[in-house]
Amino acid sequence: MHDFRRLTVWQRSRDLVVATAKATRTFPHIDRGVIASQLRRSVISIPANIAEGCGKSSRKETIRFLQIAAGSATEAENHVLIAAELGYLSAESREELLERLNAVQRMLNRLMQKLPA
């Protein structure tokens, strides 16, 4: 499993990075970039860890990085919920980001289960 660019989960997580960057541009200055930065950081970690995992030579190492990507998706979900609670995200933006995150998490779980032993 070496060409991460062919993985739909990598493509979808990359699209999530772009959607998140657009959504966080509207965060108020009072945030001082804290939540926006944490959200962007956790989201960009998802495709990065998928790519890194694909470069590993063993199934165990690959799964480890896919698990890290899944953890970053969960962290990002937390940040989205907090940002929405603070009024930084509209209900529509919150739902869009949460749907994308949940789709990526499901895809990661399926990929980890399907990796050949």
Side-chain angles (χ1 to χ4, degrees):
M1 202 172 107
H2 295 284
D3 190 2
F4 62 89
R5 293 169 291 195
R6 293 179 57 196
L7 293 174
T8 304
V9 68
W10 179 81
Q11 295 165 3
R12 296 279 299 272
S13 63
R14 186 195 59 202
D15 293 343
L16 175 62
V17 171
V18 174
T20 301
K22 289 178 182 176
T24 57
R25 285 185 194 143
T26 64
F27 281 25
H29 292 292
I30 195 168
D31 174 50
R32 292 190 171 94
V34 174
I35 294 173
S37 175
Q38 289 295 308
L39 177 54
R40 286 191 306 266
R41 184 194 56 74
S42 60
V43 169
I44 204 162
S45 176
I46 301 167
N49 278 291
I50 293 168
E52 188 168 356
C54 288
K56 298 301 178 181
S57 58
S58 74
R59 179 184 190 275
K60 183 178 178 180
E61 285 182 301
T62 299
I63 287 177
R64 180 172 159 263
F65 280 92
L66 295 177
Q67 288 171 333
I68 293 168
S72 293
T74 303
E75 179 185 354
E77 184 177 355
N78 170 69
H79 298 322
V80 167
L81 293 170
I82 291 171
E85 189 72 23
L86 291 170
Y88 297 175
L89 286 172
S90 67
E92 182 181 322
S93 291
R94 179 194 70 221
E95 288 309 309
E96 177 193 350
L97 292 175
L98 290 175
E99 284 176 22
R100 288 175 182 255
L101 282 162
N102 289 329
V104 166
Q105 288 169 322
R106 287 190 307 273
M107 294 171 83
L108 284 167
N109 287 330
R110 282 194 305 268
L111 179 58
M112 285 186 273
Q113 291 171 359
K114 291 182 179 183
L115 280 177

